[in-house]
Amino acid sequence: MQRYDRLREILRLDPDKDFLAIYRLTATYEFPWDFTRALELALFRTYAVPSIGGLLAETAEFTDRTQKRYDDTALLLDAVVEHGFESDTARTAIRRVNQMHRSYDISNDDMRYVLSTFVVIPARWLDAYGWRPLTHHERRACANYYATLGRHLGITDIPGSYEEFESTLDAYEEAHFGWDEGARRVADSTLDLMASWYPAPVAPAVRRASLALLDESLLGAFRYETPRAPVRRLVQGALWLRGRAVRLLPPRRAPHYARQNPEIKGYPDGYDVGELGTFPVPGSGGCPVPHPRRPAGAEAQPPA
């Protein structure tokens, strides 16, 4: 297999009918590392909307149990990619996400914005740092994949194309990015988590490198100091060079799913999708309806 053979396979598929297959090939064969980093950045951006970041701070899940929340979010999203919408595992994962979301007063606009970040930010990341950019074909499939996921999550007024997702994201950020003390705590906890994945002596450099990837609107919303220009150039240049190096490598022979990422640390002995996430206690500010801890159809997963 040659470097661009899988792209040729992708381009033979229909982005309106085969969007899951295209998204899976793109995310797990072509760009697994890049998609992981881009989706981390996508979630980070959502904190800058005070209604989102403030709520996450109130739950304390992203400040007191940051690694578990990171793991659970990645694994629940990954279950749909790996197993497909019609599988018992994906249905269990979607049910878990819906149970958690319904425990809180989250607006449809906020949900649609979060969905938009999952579509747009990976494409922008790959435009800047990937070994190749996403094709229009892949962007269309990505938009269709997340539109389908959004409908399963009960989101309405979902954009109908990649371009509409991009317009939705840009307009929402311009209108809603702003300071929130709780959101800043969530952002700090997330940066600390990312730094913790590396040896202690390099952790400060990892944090600085992460800040160097944030644009001015995001830095301003969190009131982070703007990184020095040489640091930005160094970090962005290193990522660009990585992309050029990956282009020279042979294509991946097997898919790489998020559950295989070394950053997933909370389930060394495997996990049950139906046990992931939070189970708010009725009468304590959570959902008033108790939910079973092991939904029917849940499938045990191998160690991450």
Side-chain angles (χ1 to χ4, degrees):
M1 176 175 284
Q2 302 300 310
R3 195 67 180 101
Y4 288 89
D5 285 354
R6 188 158 286 113
L7 175 58
R8 296 185 184 95
E9 178 183 356
I10 288 169
L11 294 176
R12 286 193 294 268
L13 297 172
D14 185 335
D16 296 323
K17 296 179 180 178
D18 306 317
F19 52 84
L20 172 60
I22 293 173
Y23 186 79
R24 187 181 286 145
L25 288 168
T26 301
T28 70
Y29 282 92
E30 295 285 78
F31 306 106
W33 187 88
D34 295 278
F35 263 70
T36 297
R37 303 286 82 79
L39 291 174
E40 289 168 356
L41 179 59
L43 286 170
F44 196 88
R45 296 191 76 84
T46 68
Y47 307 160
V49 176
S51 56
I52 299 174
L55 175 61
L56 292 173
E58 289 176 14
T59 68
E61 292 296 325
F62 273 82
T63 52
D64 296 351
R65 293 168 287 277
T66 316
Q67 181 69 63
K68 177 171 171 52
R69 292 288 71 76
Y70 174 91
D71 292 352
D72 290 356
T73 300
L75 294 173
L76 287 168
L77 292 173
D78 191 54
V80 184
V81 178
E82 181 170 4
H83 299 284
F85 288 101
E86 301 306 315
S87 70
D88 288 341
T89 300
R91 289 175 177 177
T92 299
I94 291 168
R95 185 184 307 119
R96 280 274 56 240
V97 174
N98 282 330
Q99 287 171 349
M100 289 185 285
H101 285 169
R102 289 168 186 162
S103 300
Y104 306 99
D105 185 17
I106 306 173
S107 72
N108 185 74
D109 287 349
D110 279 353
M111 293 276 286
R112 186 175 57 234
Y113 166 67
V114 174
L115 194 70
S116 298
T117 68
F118 296 162
V119 176
V120 176
I121 301 306
R124 290 181 174 175
W125 175 281
L126 291 168
D127 283 346
Y129 310 121
W131 65 266
R132 65 170 177 83
L134 285 186
T135 63
H136 176 74
H137 199 81
E138 290 168 302
R139 291 171 199 247
R140 185 169 174 177
C142 182
N144 285 325
Y145 173 82
Y146 279 107
T148 302
L149 179 61
R151 287 190 288 273
H152 279 82
L153 297 179
I155 301 172
T156 60
D157 300 322
I158 297 173
S161 67
Y162 174 85
E163 292 75 18
E164 290 179 15
F165 271 111
E166 189 168 39
S167 296
T168 297
L169 179 139
D170 290 338
Y172 208 69
E173 290 186 348
E174 183 176 358
H176 295 282
F177 266 15
W179 164 256
D180 182 89
E181 184 177 352
R184 169 62 186 259
R185 291 198 303 272
V186 174
D188 286 342
S189 295
T190 302
L191 289 174
D192 290 343
L193 172 68
M194 293 176 178
S196 75
W197 296 333
Y198 301 87
V202 302
V206 172
R207 185 183 176 93
R208 287 195 296 273
S210 298
L211 289 172
L213 296 174
L214 307 185
D215 59 48
E216 291 300 328
S217 64
L218 202 51
L219 292 167
F222 293 127
R223 298 183 182 174
Y224 285 133
E225 183 178 349
T226 300
R228 293 184 296 123
V231 175
R232 278 195 186 278
R233 289 195 295 269
L234 177 63
V235 173
Q236 294 173 358
L239 287 171
W240 185 87
L241 287 172
R242 177 196 173 274
R244 303 288 79 69
V246 171
R247 183 182 295 176
L248 301 176
L249 297 176
R252 183 177 293 277
R253 296 287 183 174
H256 181 95
Y257 293 100
R259 62 178 172 78
Q260 298 168 291
N261 290 344
E263 297 85 7
I264 304 292
K265 298 183 179 297
Y267 302 98
D269 299 319
Y271 59 93
D272 184 328
V273 171
E275 297 280 344
L276 298 176
T278 60
F279 293 82
V281 178
S284 300
C287 180
V289 180
H291 301 294
R293 290 188 61 80
R294 286 187 180 272
E299 297 177 15
Q301 300 298 307

